[in-house]
Amino acid sequence: MGRFDGRVALVTGSARGIGFGTASRFAEEGASVAILDLDEAAATEAAGRLPGQSIGIGCDVADADSVATAVARVVEALGGLHILVNNAGVTRDNLLFKMTEDDWDTVMSVHLRGAFLMSRVAQQHFVAQKYGKIVNTSSTSALGNRGQANYSAAKMGLQGFTRTLAIELGPLGVNVNAVAPGFIATDMTDATATRLGLDVEEFRRLSAEHNPVRRVGGPEDIAAAVTFLCSDEASYITGQTLYVDGGSTLV
Ligand code: NAD
């Protein structure tokens, strides 16, 4: 018996990184899983690496038509929808004086508009069946991070979005929570290292040094938190943001 037997889980931005780690954990615990990502071929290839029933779909979460089509395909192919993880993300880091309108709009579109569009479509299914779980992906950067005015605002915005959806959808059988990862070793943090002119391993080592648990996180650390929040054991938890950061925000 897996915790997610009979459930359909959709994870956005899950062709790689934290999203793929989360999709894998859902699949290992019995869910049918939909991998949504920008490139359909990459999404399909990633879905092919999961155990059990899965589908990979090309979808831009910032585009309403793309979102509606993708969710309809998931429901058709996997027979329903019970869990949505809004994980897709991008960074466009720059100090304020250098930040372009495109840097700002791109980050807002993917994180905030994307989570809004995905949640609005998914809730139709959740409310009809009086059951659903949504997890949004915030970040420790929500608390403020140099060079990330756009990303920080979007990630703190997701915490307000999470609390509000929890209030609206709780009476209808839907739990809505957020995870806020700290440093997780993925392509996203590797790209940050490159942008700062640092070796990837050195960047990870330096980040680990500033962290009470003295290591950086991996996708499996976030997957464990997300799947807990989507499990029926967590049905009395809603509107919360769980920081999964090795204690980095304590120091
Ligand atoms: P990643 O860059 O490895 O993966 C992000 C995925 O999102 C990619 O596959 C990308 O193609 C996809 N994506 C981007 N724009 C999209 C769009 N418009 N529609 C659909 N898919 C899109 O990044 P990651 O590190 O795995 O990050 C996953 C999430 O976790 C993001 O929301 C990120 O902001 C958040 N996060 C990451 C860290 C970290 O340290 N890696 C820390 C805090 C929060």
Side-chain angles (χ1 to χ4, degrees):
M1 270 290 284
R3 280 191 297 181
F4 302 106
D5 286 353
R7 302 288 186 213
V8 176
L10 186 171
V11 185
T12 68
S14 53
R16 69 182 193 204
I18 293 171
F20 183 72
T22 302
S24 301
R25 183 75 191 259
F26 276 118
E28 284 156 15
E29 296 203 45
S32 299
V33 175
I35 290 206
L36 264 60
D37 212 301
L38 285 172
D39 178 43
E40 176 130 347
T44 304
E45 187 277 326
R49 283 185 275 135
L50 299 178
Q53 199 187 14
S54 65
I55 185 171
I57 296 177
C59 173
D60 177 356
V61 297
D63 181 275
D65 290 340
S66 178
V67 164
T69 305
V71 173
R73 282 179 65 191
V74 172
V75 171
E76 167 85 21
L78 302 181
L81 183 63
H82 306 97
I83 294 165
L84 167 66
V85 182
N86 287 311
N87 167 83
V90 291
T91 52
R92 292 287 184 276
D93 297 354
N94 249 328
L95 292 174
L96 179 63
F97 78 101
K98 287 198 271 189
M99 188 171 284
T100 65
E101 288 166 43
D102 189 57
D103 292 334
W104 180 267
D105 292 342
T106 299
V107 168
M108 292 300 151
S109 291
V110 178
H111 296 271
L112 281 177
R113 184 178 161 85
F116 156 64
L117 293 175
M118 288 298 310
S119 302
R120 192 176 59 171
V121 175
Q123 64 84 32
Q124 294 168 6
H125 300 278
F126 296 168
V127 169
Q129 68 205 9
K130 286 223 172 281
Y131 183 94
K133 309 283 181 191
I134 299 175
V135 172
N136 296 312
T137 309
S138 181
S139 166
T140 51
S141 295
L143 301 173
N145 198 26
R146 188 179 159 81
Q148 291 197 313
N150 50 0
Y151 187 79
S152 173
K155 291 306 200 185
M156 191 51 102
L158 281 169
Q159 296 192 21
F161 180 66
T162 298
R163 293 169 65 95
T164 302
L165 292 199
I167 293 166
E168 292 186 15
L169 298 176
L172 301 165
V174 184
N175 295 71
V176 187
N177 290 290
V179 291
F183 189 113
I184 307 297
T186 67
D187 289 351
M188 184 178 276
T189 39
D190 289 354
T192 304
T194 305
R195 191 174 50 78
L196 296 174
L198 291 170
D199 173 69
V200 164
E201 289 306 325
E202 178 68 356
F203 188 49
R204 292 180 186 178
R205 195 187 60 73
L206 290 172
S207 301
E209 252 175 34
H210 295 290
N211 190 322
V213 304
R214 297 289 190 272
R215 68 171 177 90
V216 297
E220 65 281 1
D221 292 303
I222 306 307
V226 171
T227 50
F228 167 65
L229 291 170
C230 293
S231 72
D232 290 331
E233 288 171 300
S235 62
Y236 202 50
I237 303 175
T238 199
Q240 303 303 304
T241 297
L242 177 59
Y243 282 79
V244 185
D245 65 348
S248 64
T249 46
L250 301 172
V251 292

